[in-house]
Amino acid sequence: MESVARALQNNTAFRAIVRPLANTWVNLSGYRRLGLRYDDLLREETPIIQEAISRLSRDEIDARNFRHRRAFQLSLSHQELPSPQWTKPEDDYKYLQPLIEDVRLEQAERDAFNSMTYVQK
């Protein structure tokens, strides 16, 4: 399955078709109009994401909390940010994904280590 995903990611024709659809979906989802980033939408209830969030710098945690509170307030008042304050595509980078991947790899390594059996000769 990974080889298929990697082949699709490296296929320029596939990317040329999918990129406009992805941009349309992002624009229709509306999270940028509230000043959020993509990683702000991830559910915080899972232990992996909680651990990844705890590894963020204090400044990034504060910025994330500010974005959440501002979006909640805007949602309650049925408003959006003025268009100059919307999250720009270049600012919407995945700041949490690398940490989530690190936590998943560490958990898989821990599970593999804990499932080892001791064979006495």
Side-chain angles (χ1 to χ4, degrees):
M1 190 66 169
E2 280 186 32
S3 60
V4 173
R6 202 172 308 119
L8 289 175
Q9 287 175 347
N10 294 333
N11 188 332
T12 56
F14 179 76
R15 285 191 358 221
I17 294 169
V18 172
R19 176 122 4 212
L21 296 174
N23 290 335
T24 302
W25 176 83
V26 167
N27 291 332
L28 290 176
S29 67
Y31 70 88
R32 288 183 178 167
R33 294 178 182 172
L34 298 175
L36 294 171
R37 294 181 183 168
Y38 178 77
D39 283 352
D40 293 338
L41 304 176
L42 298 175
R43 292 182 44 206
E44 297 180 12
E45 290 85 23
T46 63
I48 292 175
I49 294 182
Q50 287 178 356
E51 177 64 27
I53 290 172
S54 72
R55 295 181 183 190
L56 288 171
S57 69
R58 191 72 206 148
D59 292 338
E60 193 63 50
I61 290 173
D62 290 342
R64 177 183 169 90
N65 290 337
F66 173 76
R67 289 190 301 270
H68 278 174
R69 287 182 178 162
R70 180 177 57 185
F72 183 68
Q73 183 64 38
L74 289 167
S75 177
L76 284 176
S77 60
H78 301 284
Q79 296 178 355
E80 293 179 348
L81 288 172
S83 58
Q85 293 181 5
W86 291 358
T87 303
K88 296 169 185 56
E90 58 271 8
D91 294 336
D92 192 13
Y93 59 91
K94 296 183 178 182
Y95 66 94
L96 197 56
Q97 293 295 330
L99 296 173
I100 292 172
E101 189 60 33
D102 289 345
V103 172
R104 283 191 178 135
L105 290 173
E106 289 171 9
Q107 187 175 16
E109 182 180 0
R110 188 178 308 115
D111 291 344
F113 183 76
N114 288 338
S115 66
M116 292 173 63
T117 57
Y118 176 71
V119 178
Q120 190 174 15
K121 292 184 179 184

